[in-house]
Amino acid sequence: MTTSATPTVFVAGPSGRLTEERTPVATRLLAADSWLVQDGAARAVEDHRRRFAAACAEAGGPPAEQVDAFWDAVLSKLPATGEWFPRAELVADGAGARLQFRLRPAPARTTSVQVWISGRSDQRTLPRRKGPDLDHLGELRAAAIVAGANEALLTTPSGLVLEGATANLLWWDGDALCAVDPTLRVLPGVTSGWVLKLAAERGIPVRLRRAVPADLAGREAWFTNALHGIRPVTSWVGSDIRPGAPRLAAAWQAEWLAAATPLAGATHPLAATTPLAGATPLAAAPPLPHTDRWST
């Protein structure tokens, strides 16, 4: 059940201590990272930590040890019950850059996604760093909702597919799992990385591709992020492209849900997750190694 509390902002002081900000001030977002917490448990949190630390370093943020201490403080503030979608942030205000985090109730989640192909090319300024373009992406997703979808597809000026406004794109080509060529303008996704590593460890061919929307016709395609996990595309809005049947998504989503582990300091581990209807659990796999390449 989604927690009903309102978002709270905590600011990190020089000592790393987090203080609730009673009167928010205007800031510019330099870096951000979010993840789903359910009853004190989450998935791939260390990958989110690494991606956020790298983004802070790129943006000229505080020293690495300060960012690390901030992250530990954030984890200690997360409630042990309820569903939350916290966001760690590096922001700039009149006094310079500072670390802060938002304790937010988790938004409603969906089990499938309808994707708008707008025909607009990607306008992000820093596509590989989460944070600076979030306002623009929010506007794009709002336009997708007006168009009858709940996600928007980003493409290059030449029409190559990139990712969604809030999610990475994966798709199946026969028995191979395909991802967008990471040398293109795509955000290194934590959830897509988890999927790709799991596929590789289970002997599933992984292909890095440059594709246009028409190449996805008849293919099972997924949009992945830290809030929803794995969602199959059930409609390509604004085009005559027909999606492939979502034969595999439910089983992989059940696997992702079951991958949650208790956070340090949590007093209530995540309750057993009920797989989606019709899901067939995947074979057991060894723990996934953490890498930075595939760290939404």
Side-chain angles (χ1 to χ4, degrees), residues 1 111 184 229 237 286:
M1 184 172 65
T111 57
L184 295 175
V237 177

Side-chain angles (χ1 to χ4, degrees), residues 95-187:
R98 72 182 193 190
L99 294 164
Q100 66 181 33
F101 100 98
R102 297 178 186 273
L103 180 59
R104 309 176 296 179
R109 299 189 303 282
T110 60
T111 57
S112 63
V113 62
Q114 298 77 49
V115 181
W116 179 44
I117 301 179
S118 69
R120 307 176 189 176
S121 61
D122 182 17
Q123 299 298 311
R124 290 172 297 175
T125 58
L126 293 168
R128 297 181 184 279
R129 189 200 313 166
K130 187 171 182 177
D133 293 298
L134 285 181
D135 285 345
H136 164 66
L137 293 172
E139 293 169 359
L140 185 60
R141 185 171 178 273
I145 291 172
V146 171
N150 53 12
E151 181 57 278
L153 180 68
L154 301 172
T155 59
T156 68
S158 64
L160 295 176
V161 298
L162 293 172
E163 55 197 344
T166 66
N168 291 116
L169 169 65
L170 302 173
W171 70 96
W172 289 89
D173 182 0
D175 293 331
L177 182 59
C178 301
V180 173
D181 180 348
T183 64
L184 295 175
R185 291 166 49 91
V186 291
L187 179 73

Side-chain angles (χ1 to χ4, degrees), residues 111-112 170-178 194-195 198-199 202 204-205 218-224 229-234 243-257 275-283:
T111 57
S112 63
L170 302 173
W171 70 96
W172 289 89
D173 182 0
D175 293 331
L177 182 59
C178 301
W194 181 91
V195 172
L198 183 60
R202 294 183 175 178
I204 296 170
R219 309 288 189 195
E220 178 174 359
W222 300 344
F223 271 49
T224 65
I230 300 162
R231 291 184 295 172
V233 177
T234 56
R247 300 179 299 104
L248 303 171
W252 284 76
Q253 174 72 345
E255 189 87 351
W256 178 81
L257 287 168
L276 301 178
T280 302
L282 300 172

